[in-house]
Amino acid sequence: MKKELSNQKSIYIHMDNVINNVVTSGITFCDFMQGVPAPPENILLIKHHFKDTSYNAHTAFHYLESSDLKQLKQAPLMKFNNFCWVDFEDVELVNQLSPQEVAELLYLAHTGRHLRSPFYYKLQNNFVYLTKKDGRYNKVYYRNMNHFYAVLSQAITRKTEEIVHEKSFLMPNRRKGVAVPPSDLLKKMMKYFKEGACISFAHAEKSRTQLRVPIGIDFDEDLSELEDSSEELTYNEVAAELVYDLKRSEWIYIEK
C-alpha cells in the first residue's frame, strides 16, 4: 500500500553507472548546490520559467551566472518546476555550439534522454540536471560520480537534522550538529542503487542513542512512478541499515 506524502522524508535512488546518470527523489537543487564539491559557475537553461536571466542569441537559450546561482539556490522549490540545465565554463564556448548540439540539448530537456554523450567538449560541462518538479523526481548526469555521493551526503545530513532536531525548536542553542556521512560509507550501497533503493527516513527509528534508517529495495513499481505521483513507493525488503550514533556523532553501515 502506498502512503501519501505531504512532506517527503525518504530518498529514492536509481543509478546507471554506464552513462553516469542518477534518478533521485528527495534530493533538491539546494542539496545539489550545497553538497557538490565544485558547484557550477554558469548554467545554460534548456527549460525553465525564470524571468531574470541573460540571453544567448547564438543558441536562443537563457543562462545564469555565478551571482544569479547564489540567489537561486535559496528560492522556494515551487519555482523549480521544469528546471533543466547544463553547466558551462564561458559564454564564448556556448557560442561555438553547432545546430546539431543545440538540437541535442533540446531533446535532452524534452525527453530526459541523451542522443549522444551528454558531456560536451565545447561546454566542458560536468552536469546535466533535468527535472519537472525539483526534489520529487530529478535526473542528473555526473561526469564524476564522486560528486553524486557528496550531494547524497548533504541530503542525508539535512534529513537527519530534521529528525534529530524536530522537538528542539524551543531550545535552538542546545542543538548539536549532525556529522556528514563519508562518501566511502555511502558507496557501500552502490549495488542497491543500481537496482533502485530507498533510504527510508519515513521509517527511521530513533532512540536516545541512535537513529536507524532502513535501506529498502525490491519495489512493486518503477521509480518513474514518482514523477507523476505524490505517493511513497513501498519496498518489499530491507537490505541494510544506515545508523547514526547520536552520542559519538558517527555513521555506521550494517548489511542485513
Side-chain angles (χ1 to χ4, degrees):
M1 182 181 295
K2 293 180 179 179
K3 180 181 178 183
E4 191 73 22
L5 287 180
S6 57
N7 181 23
Q8 181 172 332
K9 294 183 178 179
S10 299
I11 299 173
Y12 298 86
I13 300 163
H14 190 197
M15 177 183 292
D16 188 333
N17 286 87
V18 176
I19 52 176
N20 278 24
N21 76 45
V22 188
V23 170
T24 63
S25 181
I27 298 178
T28 68
F29 175 72
C30 292
D31 291 325
F32 174 88
M33 290 296 289
Q34 292 169 9
V36 72
E41 287 294 322
N42 313 285
I43 63 175
L44 192 64
L45 298 163
I46 52 180
K47 185 177 285 188
H48 73 103
H49 293 294
F50 302 117
K51 294 181 180 179
D52 298 325
T53 61
S54 300
Y55 180 72
N56 177 258
H58 175 73
T59 60
F61 287 134
H62 292 81
Y63 64 94
L64 295 172
E65 298 176 290
S66 180
S67 58
D68 303 312
L69 290 175
K70 290 179 182 178
Q71 299 178 13
L72 183 61
K73 70 179 182 180
Q74 303 298 331
L77 293 182
M78 67 179 67
K79 290 191 175 183
F80 297 150
N81 291 349
N82 289 318
F83 183 39
C84 302
W85 56 265
V86 54
D87 61 303
F88 65 94
E89 288 192 353
D90 189 87
V91 174
E92 289 305 314
L93 298 175
V94 176
N95 291 334
Q96 295 176 23
L97 288 174
S98 68
Q100 173 65 30
E101 289 167 327
V102 172
E104 289 175 14
L105 288 169
L106 288 168
Y107 183 83
L108 258 174
H110 183 66
T111 68
R113 299 187 297 273
H114 60 284
L115 286 172
R116 295 190 296 177
S117 170
F119 301 107
Y120 294 86
Y121 174 76
K122 292 174 184 177
L123 296 179
Q124 292 294 298
N125 65 303
N126 293 308
F127 314 102
V128 177
Y129 193 102
L130 309 170
T131 181
K132 293 180 181 178
K133 185 183 294 185
D134 188 59
R136 183 57 184 170
Y137 188 87
N138 296 8
K139 183 177 184 180
V140 182
Y141 292 82
Y142 291 87
R143 185 184 292 272
N144 183 342
M145 289 298 285
N146 288 325
H147 288 177
F148 163 70
Y149 286 100
V151 171
L152 177 60
S153 182
Q154 160 63 28
I156 289 173
T157 302
R158 175 175 62 83
K159 290 182 180 293
T160 302
E161 287 176 340
E162 290 173 358
I163 295 176
V164 171
H165 298 151
E166 61 185 351
K167 293 183 179 180
S168 63
F169 62 92
L170 294 176
M171 297 178 290
N173 292 333
R174 297 186 61 182
R175 290 185 178 184
K176 183 180 180 181
V178 170
V180 177
S183 293
D184 288 344
L185 185 78
L186 301 182
K187 287 178 182 179
K188 294 180 179 180
M189 295 186 279
M190 184 189 299
K191 58 184 176 183
Y192 302 123
F193 294 161
K194 290 179 180 179
E195 299 298 323
C198 173
I199 303 176
S200 187
F201 284 95
H203 298 102
E205 296 181 358
K206 180 186 174 185
S207 67
R208 294 181 63 184
T209 59
Q210 289 184 331
L211 179 69
R212 307 182 74 91
V213 186
I215 310 302
I217 60 172
D218 186 18
F219 299 96
D220 291 330
E221 297 166 282
D222 190 87
L223 264 64
S224 61
E225 292 288 326
L226 294 166
E227 185 170 16
D228 301 312
S229 170
S230 60
E231 300 176 334
E232 180 181 359
L233 298 186
T234 301
Y235 51 83
N236 296 309
E237 181 183 347
V238 174
E241 280 188 324
L242 199 56
V243 181
Y244 185 61
D245 189 310
L246 295 168
K247 290 189 175 181
R248 297 183 179 181
S249 298
E250 292 180 351
W251 287 95
I252 306 167
Y253 176 71
I254 303 173
E255 288 272 358
K256 288 292 186 179

